[in-house]
Amino acid sequence: MSTLFSGIHLALQSMLAHQQAIEITEHNVANANTPGYRRQEAILAAGHPYGLSGLDHSIGAGQMGTGVTVEKIKRFSVDFFDGRYRRELAESKRWEAAYTVLQQIEGTLNETGSDGLIAKLDDFWTGWQALSADPNNTSLRADLYDRSVALTEAFHWRAQALDYIRRDQDLTITQRVQEINSSAEQIAHLNQEIARVKSVGDQPNDLLDERDRLLDRLSEIAGATSYLQPNEEVIVSIGGHTLVMGKDNFDLVAAPDITIGNLVKVTWADGQSFSADTGELKGLFDARDIHIKSQIDGLNSLAGGLITRINTIHQSGVDLNDVTGRVFFTGTDARTMRVDSALSNLSNIAAAGAINSPGDGSVALQLAQVQRELLMNGGTTTLNDYHNSQVTGLGLVTLKAHTSAQDRGLVAKALSDQRESVTGVSMDEEAANLIKYQRAYQAAARMMTALDEMLDKVINGMGVVGR
Amino acid sequence: MRVTNRMMTENAIGHLNENIDRLNTLAERVSSGKQFRSASDNPSAASASLVLRSTLKTTQAYLTTAQNSDEWMSATEFAFKQMSDLGTRAITLAKQGLSDTLSGKERRDALGTEMTAILENAVDIANSSHQGNYLFAGFKVSMATVPFTLTGAAVTYSGDTGSLQREIGPNQTITVNVNGDTAFTPLFDALIDARDALNTNNAAQIESAVNALSAAMDTLGGVRTTNGARQRQLRTGIDRIEKTQIELKSLLTQKEDVNLAEAISLLQNQESTYKTVLEVAQRTISALNLFDYLR
């Protein structure tokens, strides 16, 4: 049988339930800008009803309601979007990372500017061309010498700049590996907490948010994939190797490796090799080990081809002192290439084809014509065209990275918007909810006042007839 | 779709970035006057412009060489002209020497002396140089002695037969010098003969010297014609190079340079777009929400 006291209890429960709902609204508003936060909602449910006992049936109908309770705190999440979103995010970060590096190379080398290597090569060729027309002219010789030195310096500078940019990536790679390790540790810890909270029947909403945020970040860095287990723990793996399993995490190690020129190599702590299929690390590795490397290799084979051919012809020529067989360049690649020091004495530059012929520029002419010789790519390309295709190749790769980053970024953005549309906090909604709960709270308080008055009547106003 | 405040803010920021990036690209295009900054902006145009710039530079080198060669050949032609005047004067002198009205002394003193002067003059001309290089010494454009030395009865040539090749186009070379020995030695021999004949008053020898002089002049003329023909060919070449250069420059401009009128109007257009985006962003970011209205 219902009593007036149970009515007070019912009103109190309603006040408490709405107070909690208001607190949840407050939590939502407070976290409107927190990254990874997903809005929560109090799920109100009617209390368990009870039937009137047979004895009481004569005074009313059965199944009395018992008011309201907060049944659970719901977290708005869409696990379905998470997987797709993280895949696209990883791809867009992969290309973005590569683009940043490639853009840096393009900007540094500035091959399309007037200071490009092709311009320096052309200066070299035209230097020989001019000398061939007036072989014993000292100022032309000095000019050619200066141009040749400028050419070798252009080679060095490029080789060095590429090497620096390449090594710079190691710093980022190391930092990212550290971030993966610490995130993995946090996730392992969160797994444990979440499973514990779940086991007592509560919703670990904010812990889940934190774990999802870390999972987002891990996919950004290395394209990590996760699998949710029935006990709400996640298994995280990168490139087929487990990173987190339950409360355990497996570390990655980044250390310089002698076999790849002391560049940083990433391996699993258990010795297995690490490979990221996507994500920022993939972009960085691609840039470092494929794109920059091919630029360095191209530069070296260009320098090598140039040195060999120029030396062969120059050695066949005769200088103004009737000496033959001098090399023009020393060194073998872009880094070691130098103009032979003997040539700083300008009369040692060989331009003639025979002794005692200061007016003969036939060898200088032959050297100028190396410009048109098909020396590279197995005798199909000139030196200039070889470098031109290097420059264009880099341009194309950069362009591809840029457009891929943009395209994938747009897809990720669209998915993120969809996710946000479900999980994000809307101020208008919260305002409306706040009012809704506030009014219900006020009404419950009024109810309690009414019941209080009724009790007052019973206690103080009854049984005083005729007093 | 449910729209949240954060979505609106993030979208507004995204659009702002996009538009300012575009604005930046267009502004850079206008201020640099170039269509692209690096190869990735337009790989094919960048590749073409690199090739064009290379070709332009090489062409400029060919042009310089061709112009220098032209000067060399003009100097050669000038030497030939002087030499030819001397030769004509020598023939006139020798023919005067055949006249019966002159005495042996007159022949020797008046004609022989002038003939000697002509010979010395001719050797000087044959030794002429252009910018410090001997014109008629083959490869030996510079050496301790002069190419032609007069030693009493003969002129010795110490140059060689080298022909100076100049490249004025891809695989297109021309010879810029003539062989001094072939061109001048017959004339020198004839002049020496004529001088000796006049000095020794030998009529028969004078007569044969006149014939030798005429023959030497023919040889000289032949070589001179060769030089003239080559110079004409060279000038056609220069003409062609200059035209190619103009063509290349206009192609390069097409590939590289920005159409300024178009770029500026695009920039202005983008500016007003950006202003609009700012206006809209201001509204979305500071957007009112229900909290402002409930009390």
Side-chain angles (χ1 to χ4, degrees):
Chain A
M1 198 186 85
S2 76
T3 67
L4 280 175
F5 291 106
S6 70
I8 286 186
H9 180 69
L10 193 144
L12 174 66
Q13 230 179 351
S14 168
M15 284 169 75
L16 290 176
H18 285 106
Q19 185 193 325
Q20 193 181 2
I22 285 173
E23 271 174 37
I24 291 167
T25 304
E26 204 182 328
H27 189 50
N28 280 341
V29 173
N31 284 298
N33 291 321
T34 310
Y37 180 77
R38 290 165 194 214
R39 77 184 156 112
Q40 299 173 9
E41 191 182 60
I43 303 295
L44 297 173
H48 197 72
Y50 63 90
L52 296 176
S53 67
L55 200 66
D56 301 324
H57 240 281
S58 55
I59 56 158
Q63 288 275 302
M64 285 289 290
T66 55
V68 70
T69 51
V70 175
E71 188 188 52
K72 73 168 191 177
I73 302 169
K74 181 183 173 186
R75 170 175 178 260
F76 283 82
S77 77
V78 266
D79 296 338
F80 163 69
F81 280 134
D82 284 348
R84 282 182 61 204
Y85 168 67
R86 285 178 192 147
R87 254 198 313 283
E88 292 302 328
L89 182 68
E91 275 292 292
S92 96
K93 290 290 167 188
R94 167 192 171 184
W95 291 110
E96 219 170 86
Y99 176 60
T100 315
V101 180
L102 292 170
Q103 203 188 16
Q104 207 183 335
I105 303 175
E106 265 206 325
T108 311
L109 301 187
N110 191 18
E111 294 290 13
T112 48
S114 54
D115 206 30
L117 188 60
I118 291 189
K120 298 272 191 249
L121 277 170
D122 289 337
D123 286 345
F124 181 67
W125 306 130
T126 51
W128 282 113
Q129 220 275 343
L131 187 63
S132 80
D134 196 357
N136 65 338
N137 185 326
T138 315
S139 64
L140 287 180
R141 281 174 178 262
D143 191 32
L144 171 72
Y145 180 76
D146 288 346
R147 288 173 184 211
S148 311
V149 171
L151 178 67
T152 55
E153 279 168 359
F155 269 107
H156 297 164
W157 180 78
R158 277 173 174 70
Q160 209 156 46
L162 285 169
D163 198 49
Y164 284 151
I165 296 177
R166 200 172 179 205
R167 295 199 179 276
D168 281 352
Q169 305 319 311
D170 278 359
L171 190 66
T172 325
I173 290 173
T174 314
Q175 281 170 354
R176 294 294 175 270
V177 167
Q178 283 165 358
E179 202 177 337
I180 292 178
N181 285 340
S182 87
S183 299
E185 203 181 318
Q186 289 178 58
I187 289 176
H189 185 68
L190 285 165
N191 266 346
Q192 222 176 343
E193 274 294 284
I194 287 167
R196 191 186 58 75
V197 175
K198 269 283 180 185
S199 68
V200 299
D202 279 340
Q203 276 292 329
N205 289 341
D206 296 325
L207 300 179
L208 288 170
D209 285 350
E210 178 62 9
R211 192 174 67 182
D212 274 343
R213 195 186 60 76
L214 289 168
L215 288 173
D216 280 359
R217 182 71 187 130
L218 280 178
S219 354
E220 250 181 49
I221 298 175
T225 49
S226 58
Y227 172 73
L228 192 63
Q229 287 183 298
N231 67 351
E232 294 283 328
E233 289 181 351
V234 285
I235 297 177
V236 188
S237 59
I238 298 176
H241 191 289
T242 310
L243 178 70
V244 182
M245 164 93 84
K247 59 178 174 46
D248 300 317
N249 63 300
F250 303 91
D251 274 346
L252 282 170
V253 182
D257 190 282
I258 191 102
T259 58
I260 48 172
N262 273 329
L263 290 170
V264 161
K265 192 179 177 186
V266 179
T267 45
W268 292 96
D270 61 13
Q272 293 199 45
S273 65
F274 168 84
S275 74
D277 304 329
T278 177
E280 211 179 329
L281 279 179
K282 168 78 172 162
L284 289 173
F285 280 125
D286 278 357
R288 191 189 76 173
D289 298 339
I290 300 176
H291 305 313
I292 303 184
K293 185 166 185 301
S294 88
Q295 287 295 313
I296 293 177
D297 290 350
L299 201 63
N300 280 336
S301 54
L302 182 70
L306 182 73
I307 293 167
T308 316
R309 187 65 190 141
I310 295 295
N311 279 350
T312 310
I313 299 176
H314 193 259
Q315 279 172 316
S316 75
V318 179
D319 66 15
L320 286 180
N321 310 317
D322 288 343
V323 175
T324 184
R326 278 189 197 283
V327 295
F328 191 82
F329 290 120
T330 57
T332 49
D333 59 15
R335 189 172 270 282
T336 54
M337 176 183 193
R338 298 278 185 285
V339 176
D340 189 40
S341 55
L343 300 181
S344 57
N345 179 356
L346 298 171
S347 63
N348 287 343
I349 297 175
I355 58 160
N356 204 5
S357 311
D360 179 13
S362 58
V363 165
L365 188 58
Q366 228 182 316
L367 285 163
Q369 284 167 345
V370 173
Q371 181 183 17
R372 293 196 300 275
E373 283 181 16
L374 303 174
L375 292 175
M376 305 302 288
N377 288 342
T380 55
T381 314
T382 64
L383 292 162
N384 274 29
D385 284 350
Y386 180 79
H387 193 64
N388 188 332
S389 66
Q390 284 274 113
V391 173
T392 323
L394 179 65
L396 284 169
V397 174
T398 313
L399 183 64
K400 177 170 191 291
H402 186 46
T403 45
S404 299
Q406 272 185 334
D407 292 352
R408 293 312 191 101
L410 282 176
V411 179
K413 174 82 176 72
L415 287 167
S416 155
D417 274 357
Q418 283 188 4
R419 192 163 83 157
E420 171 74 12
S421 125
V422 177
T423 67
V425 176
S426 154
M427 289 300 182
D428 295 346
E429 257 176 30
E430 301 306 325
N433 282 339
L434 177 65
I435 292 298
K436 186 173 78 179
Y437 296 135
Q438 192 188 354
R439 292 291 183 222
Y441 184 89
Q442 285 167 350
R446 271 299 278 282
M447 288 300 297
M448 195 179 273
T449 316
L451 285 166
D452 183 41
E453 281 174 11
M454 285 158 76
L455 273 172
D456 180 45
K457 193 69 187 167
V458 171
I459 295 164
N460 298 322
M462 278 173 82
V464 291
V465 73
R467 194 187 269 179
Chain B
M1 186 160 144
R2 190 171 163 271
V3 176
T4 70
N5 301 72
R6 190 155 70 161
M7 247 159 95
M8 287 178 78
T9 313
E10 274 175 9
N11 283 338
I13 293 171
H15 289 139
L16 279 175
N17 283 339
E18 234 169 75
N19 274 284
I20 199 148
D21 186 36
R22 221 172 292 156
L23 191 66
N24 178 42
T25 311
L26 286 171
E28 199 163 297
R29 227 173 258 182
V30 171
S31 49
S32 70
K34 298 283 174 214
Q35 284 182 25
F36 48 84
R37 188 182 30 169
S38 48
S40 62
D41 293 343
N42 190 343
S44 64
S47 168
S49 97
L50 284 177
V51 173
L52 283 171
R53 269 195 257 165
S54 261
T55 320
L56 201 58
K57 212 169 226 179
T58 320
T59 312
Q60 182 57 47
Y62 286 141
L63 187 61
T64 313
T65 306
Q67 280 163 346
N68 289 342
S69 306
D70 190 39
E71 284 169 23
W72 175 284
M73 286 165 127
S74 295
T76 307
E77 167 59 23
F78 184 64
F80 272 123
K81 185 179 179 300
Q82 287 174 302
M83 197 63 104
S84 164
D85 288 350
L86 286 178
T88 314
R89 176 69 189 149
I91 292 174
T92 317
L93 278 181
K95 281 194 176 152
Q96 275 178 19
L98 285 175
S99 161
D100 286 340
T101 53
L102 291 172
S103 67
K105 185 178 178 333
E106 274 171 335
R107 282 199 180 92
R108 192 173 60 241
D109 290 353
L111 305 180
T113 312
E114 191 177 344
M115 196 59 90
T116 309
I118 287 175
L119 177 59
E120 282 164 0
N121 215 335
V123 171
D124 280 351
I125 292 168
N127 285 334
S128 33
S129 60
H130 176 65
Q131 293 178 342
N133 290 330
Y134 293 122
L135 286 170
F136 301 106
F139 284 153
K140 299 192 172 177
V141 292
S142 65
M143 50 185 163
T145 58
V146 288
F148 294 91
T149 32
L150 178 62
T151 46
V155 174
T156 40
Y157 176 62
S158 45
D160 59 22
T161 56
S163 63
L164 302 174
Q165 302 284 328
R166 300 278 187 269
E167 197 182 36
I168 59 159
N171 296 324
Q172 190 192 356
T173 50
I174 54 157
T175 309
V176 293
N177 70 331
V178 292
N179 188 335
D181 195 21
T182 324
F184 301 135
T185 304
L187 183 64
F188 292 146
D189 290 347
L191 283 173
I192 290 167
D193 265 4
R195 180 197 66 185
D196 293 350
L198 287 171
N199 284 344
T200 54
N201 200 14
N202 183 338
Q205 205 185 343
I206 294 175
E207 183 129 25
S208 75
V210 169
N211 289 336
L213 276 171
S214 301
M217 285 297 282
D218 284 350
T219 313
L220 191 75
V223 180
R224 186 180 175 184
T225 312
T226 311
N227 185 54
R230 283 180 189 155
Q231 196 170 12
R232 251 198 317 284
Q233 187 200 342
L234 179 72
R235 288 197 170 145
T236 323
I238 292 178
D239 223 36
R240 178 184 51 75
I241 296 172
E242 280 169 347
K243 279 187 184 128
T244 315
Q245 243 182 355
I246 294 170
E247 185 73 13
L248 285 171
K249 278 179 187 159
S250 89
L251 275 174
L252 190 62
T253 298
Q254 274 177 30
K255 292 282 177 202
E256 271 191 6
D257 293 351
V258 148
N259 176 347
L260 218 52
E262 189 189 327
I264 290 176
S265 63
L266 281 175
L267 179 67
Q268 275 168 348
N269 194 16
Q270 182 57 35
E271 249 168 27
S272 51
T273 311
Y274 184 59
K275 272 183 199 154
T276 320
V277 174
L278 279 175
E279 194 76 26
V280 174
Q282 177 249 325
R283 283 175 203 198
T284 46
I285 290 176
S286 70
L288 298 165
N289 60 45
L290 196 50
F291 281 108
D292 299 313
Y293 291 91
L294 294 173
R295 54 188 82 249

